[in-house]
Amino acid sequence: MTGQDMNATIRLTAAQAMVRWLSVQRTDDGARFIDGVWAIFGHGNVAGLGQALHGIGDALPTWRGQNEQTMAHAAIAFAKGHGRRRAQAVTASIGPGSTNMVTAAALAHVNRLPVLFIAGDVFASRRPDPVLQQVEGFGDGTVSANDCFRPVVRYFDRITRPEHLLTALPRAMRVMTDPAECGPVCLAFCQDVQAEAYDWPEAFFAPRIWHIRRPAPDADELARAVDLIKAAKAPVIVCGGGVIHSGAEQALADFATRHAIPVIETQAGKSALPQAHPMNFGAAGVDGSAAANRAAAGADLILAIGTRLQDFTTGSRTLFDAPLIGINVQPHDAAKHGAVTLVADARVALQALTDALGDLRFAPDTDPRAAWLAAVDAHCAAPAGDGLPTDAQVIGAVQRAAPDGIAMCAAGTMPGALKLLWQAAQGGYHMEYGYSCMGYEIAGAMGLALARPDRQVLCFVGDGSYMMANSELATAVMRRIPFTVILTDNRGYGCINRLQVGCGGVPFNNMYADCNVEAQPQIDFVAHAGSMGAHAVKAPPSPICRPRSRPPAPAIFRR
Amino acid sequence: MIVIETTAAVGPGFGDAGHWWDVAVPATGDTDALAQAYAHYLTMAARQSLIN
Ligand SMILES: Cc1ncc(C[n+]2csc(CCOP(=O)(O)OP(=O)(O)O)c2C)c(N)n1
Ligand SMILES: [Mg+2]
């Protein structure tokens, strides 16, 4: 660029500048990092951002959903389905629209997933104060409802002058593409500032590629980890979501095979290896397989790769009786449980370890794995007698019908059941179990189907989760985004009821039968989904659980 | 969408699958079931590795 070009400017509103800039931020393979923007407008974003989004057109598409939280669930599932290599934005108006997104921000934060929240904010000028929906702090003039985002995003900024975007936008992208810090970003965008014009440097809008780095291990940390592994007799690998975020699935498969080390899975890490991989011993911990937990309890060294070590993985810290090596790109996670740290990208770390370990091979007992898989098949077999099927039998039926699909869910009985029993094909599992947020399922299935059009998305949802948030089903119908929903209706919050009784309580306020209601509900889920245009059927009590030769109807829409 | 009625009586676990989960049990209450659950809770909590 010549010196003169470097000084060239272009006059745009702040909102126009934001969307223009976002439209040219690229991934390594040339795709837009921010795929598009889910939007529900109100006075806080309709005039400024609304005009800008309309103007940019297909260069940064806009989609309308039904609820800000669930639009964000879709965006988050899209990012997870892409292994964090792409993301979407969500915009909402001041006040309720924006605070509706706070739960989703927390969900993305816990799961370390990127999403860009563009939250309409009060007037920077304060001229019309209090504007409709403004939260007024008596003792702090700088507070707005959007301050609720601060603890649940990795980067927060309030845009009170147009030129703030010159710093805020690159910071936002840096956080979303940083493997260690990755998470949600909130740009609270004052409504008057959105509409304000500014002379932007043209160079600001030059297309830019955001490479996701792969930090290599520190030499001393690597040497310590290698020594520990060489001294071990029975190491076990815990495979977390970081393995998938790093794209280290094949590296892990090769590493486990070459050194004969059993792999046990977290919710986020499940399906990095297919269940069929000979070293995949299945799920770890509270909802863990007999084979995995046995291997974990007997291990003399745990290699925790890309995992937060959530309580479900560790049996609330009672499962492992061995020292840990924490292999993680994020030092906070690497150091948990007093682990010996190996701070690095998972794929790079596995390669470095295997280079140092050479042909070292362990001799794990693989009989429990074979016995476990046989037991799962029997447990998930079609029911023989009458009576309502179990969740396990439903999983078995779906598994036999659609073995290559992606099973997805977030809350209720099914996350534990699927982690335990779903025999995933490679990449065939998507569980939001960091926040386990009821109401993620339907919208998440839509976002996942957008990210993975090559795979059948199997959305497992309980009656409770469906009732909490289902309206993006209508969006999926309108946008012709196909996925299959398996709704298990057990008339209430089954898993919490069992937990209540397991904790010595009495059944209370979970199943409808135990609630203060005047009449027991008869919710017609088929009619409900049908009213939104979905194709819905009720499975007769047992045939669903018999093996089927064809997958369940893949299209959700009525044509 | 396939709607299927299921039983809420049984969870997914079976055999040797699964492991303890720390959910705080009330230390005092009215029933034997609670007293037993609390005793079990104390036993398991004592096994937690709290090293960081
Ligand atoms: C937003 C939210 N609220 C509350 C909870 C606590 N919770 C977890 S599972 C569950 C009940 C789920 O019921 P349902 O979807 O019907 O599944 P079921 O266990 O009955 O199969 C509740 C209330 C949660 N995880 N998320
Ligand atoms: Mg239920």
Side-chain angles (χ1 to χ4, degrees):
Chain A
M1 238 179 215
T2 66
Q4 203 185 352
D5 286 344
M6 284 296 285
N7 293 330
T9 59
I10 173 166
R11 192 160 179 80
L12 299 170
T13 68
Q16 289 164 357
M18 174 186 271
V19 301
R20 185 171 175 146
W21 190 87
L22 289 173
S23 75
V24 293
Q25 307 308 308
R26 305 277 153 165
T27 66
D28 276 329
D29 42 21
R32 266 194 311 277
F33 180 79
I34 296 291
D35 177 44
V37 185
W38 292 95
I40 291 180
F41 294 141
H43 69 93
N45 61 347
V46 70
L49 256 177
Q51 184 229 22
L53 286 168
H54 177 253
I56 194 119
D58 289 343
L60 186 71
T62 302
W63 311 292
R64 211 208 82 173
Q66 308 296 328
N67 172 290
E68 294 86 355
Q69 179 185 342
T70 49
M71 291 194 305
H73 289 169
I76 293 162
F78 175 86
K80 184 173 163 74
H82 272 293
R84 313 201 296 193
R85 286 174 277 271
R86 297 190 67 191
Q88 294 176 336
V90 193
T91 181
S93 186
I94 292 174
S98 285
T99 48
N100 266 358
M101 302 194 295
V102 173
T103 298
L107 186 160
H109 189 276
V110 174
N111 288 286
R112 317 281 170 83
L113 293 169
V115 53
L116 176 61
F117 295 103
I118 308 167
D121 211 322
V122 299
F123 276 72
S125 71
R126 305 186 182 175
R127 270 194 324 253
D129 273 19
V131 68
L132 174 68
Q133 300 169 330
Q134 180 164 351
V135 170
E136 291 179 275
F138 294 147
D140 185 345
T142 68
V143 163
S144 90
N146 287 331
D147 287 287
C148 296
F149 281 99
R150 287 181 191 270
V152 289
V153 294
R154 294 278 172 211
Y155 184 72
F156 177 90
D157 212 339
R158 180 169 284 122
I159 312 301
T160 61
R161 300 171 64 107
E163 61 267 43
H164 284 173
L165 292 179
L166 295 168
T167 47
L169 285 170
R171 286 178 189 170
M173 275 298 297
R174 191 205 54 81
V175 166
M176 288 188 288
T177 56
D178 184 318
E181 283 183 55
C182 184
V185 168
C186 177
L187 299 182
F189 205 174
C190 292
Q191 72 160 279
D192 51 345
V193 180
Q194 292 176 31
E196 227 174 282
Y198 183 77
D199 294 312
W200 306 86
E202 248 176 37
F204 184 54
F205 303 104
R208 190 156 161 185
I209 289 169
W210 294 81
H211 174 71
I212 298 177
R213 75 180 70 87
R214 294 186 176 279
D218 168 80
D220 290 344
E221 286 199 341
L222 180 63
R224 265 196 296 276
V226 167
D227 287 348
L228 276 172
I229 297 171
K230 282 183 173 166
K233 294 269 174 297
V236 163
I237 293 168
V238 180
C239 170
V243 170
I244 295 171
H245 299 158
S246 153
E249 295 96 330
Q250 190 57 49
L252 177 62
D254 295 345
F255 184 88
T257 302
R258 177 169 188 185
H259 304 295
I261 304 178
V263 175
I264 64 177
E265 309 167 298
T266 73
Q267 283 282 21
K270 185 175 168 83
S271 86
L273 301 188
Q275 181 59 74
H277 188 286
M279 283 297 119
N280 186 349
F281 279 48
V286 175
D287 32 23
S289 84
N293 284 352
R294 192 181 146 133
D300 63 353
L301 182 66
I302 306 284
L303 309 183
I305 310 181
T307 167
R308 303 165 51 233
L309 295 170
Q310 190 204 29
D311 59 354
F312 267 75
T313 303
T314 67
S316 299
R317 291 174 173 262
T318 58
L319 180 57
F320 308 145
D321 191 21
L324 279 83
I325 300 177
I327 303 173
N328 208 298
V329 74
Q330 169 52 253
H332 176 89
D333 296 310
K336 285 173 179 172
H337 288 240
V340 170
T341 54
L342 185 59
V343 176
D345 168 71
R347 200 166 90 187
V348 175
L350 284 167
Q351 189 59 54
L353 285 172
T354 213
D355 288 347
L357 295 173
D359 291 329
L360 180 68
R361 261 183 91 75
F362 296 93
D365 178 5
T366 54
D367 291 348
R369 174 182 178 273
W372 164 251
L373 290 175
V376 170
D377 283 340
H379 187 58
C380 297
D386 293 338
L388 294 174
T390 63
D391 293 80
Q393 288 163 339
V394 172
I395 290 172
V398 179
Q399 178 94 61
R400 292 185 292 272
D404 296 325
I406 306 178
M408 67 86 60
C409 186
T413 302
M414 275 297 178
L418 288 165
K419 181 181 169 197
L420 188 68
L421 304 171
W422 181 256
Q423 300 185 41
Q426 205 288 317
Y429 194 73
H430 172 119
M431 187 63 59
E432 189 287 284
Y433 210 66
Y435 216 43
S436 187
C437 183
M438 289 171 75
Y440 174 85
E441 293 87 349
I442 299 283
M446 178 169 69
L448 178 59
L450 285 171
R452 304 298 305 274
D454 54 318
R455 299 282 282 263
Q456 184 177 7
V457 171
L458 305 162
C459 171
F460 289 83
V461 64
D463 60 305
S465 255
Y466 180 87
M467 290 301 285
M468 195 168 280
N470 53 60
S471 58
E472 301 303 352
L473 202 50
T475 310
V477 171
M478 286 178 233
R479 290 195 53 198
R480 293 291 189 257
I481 302 167
F483 51 88
T484 304
V485 180
I486 300 102
L487 189 158
T488 43
D489 179 10
N490 59 11
R491 305 185 61 80
Y493 298 157
C495 64
I496 306 297
N497 182 60
R498 289 191 300 275
L499 178 63
Q500 187 170 47
V501 173
C503 289
V506 293
F508 167 60
N509 199 52
N510 282 307
M511 307 310 290
Y512 289 119
D514 308 313
C515 289
N516 280 323
V517 294
E518 310 310 318
Q520 283 297 304
Q522 303 296 342
I523 301 167
D524 186 341
F525 293 103
V526 169
H528 186 269
S531 75
M532 287 187 274
H535 172 65
V537 292
K538 178 125 184 204
S542 41
I544 179 76
C545 291
R546 293 205 196 103
R548 299 163 61 122
S549 52
R550 290 191 324 116
I556 58 157
F557 9 96
R558 186 195 289 149
R559 293 182 198 266
Chain B
M1 179 160 112
I2 300 164
V3 180
I4 180 159
E5 286 179 27
T6 51
T7 172
V10 286
F14 69 103
D16 290 336
H19 200 80
W20 180 67
W21 183 31
D22 187 344
V23 174
V25 174
T28 176
D30 298 332
T31 65
D32 284 348
L34 180 70
Q36 277 170 27
Y38 186 61
H40 179 65
Y41 181 72
L42 293 181
T43 308
M44 292 309 295
R47 293 186 197 164
Q48 287 177 309
S49 157
L50 303 178
I51 304 304
N52 271 301

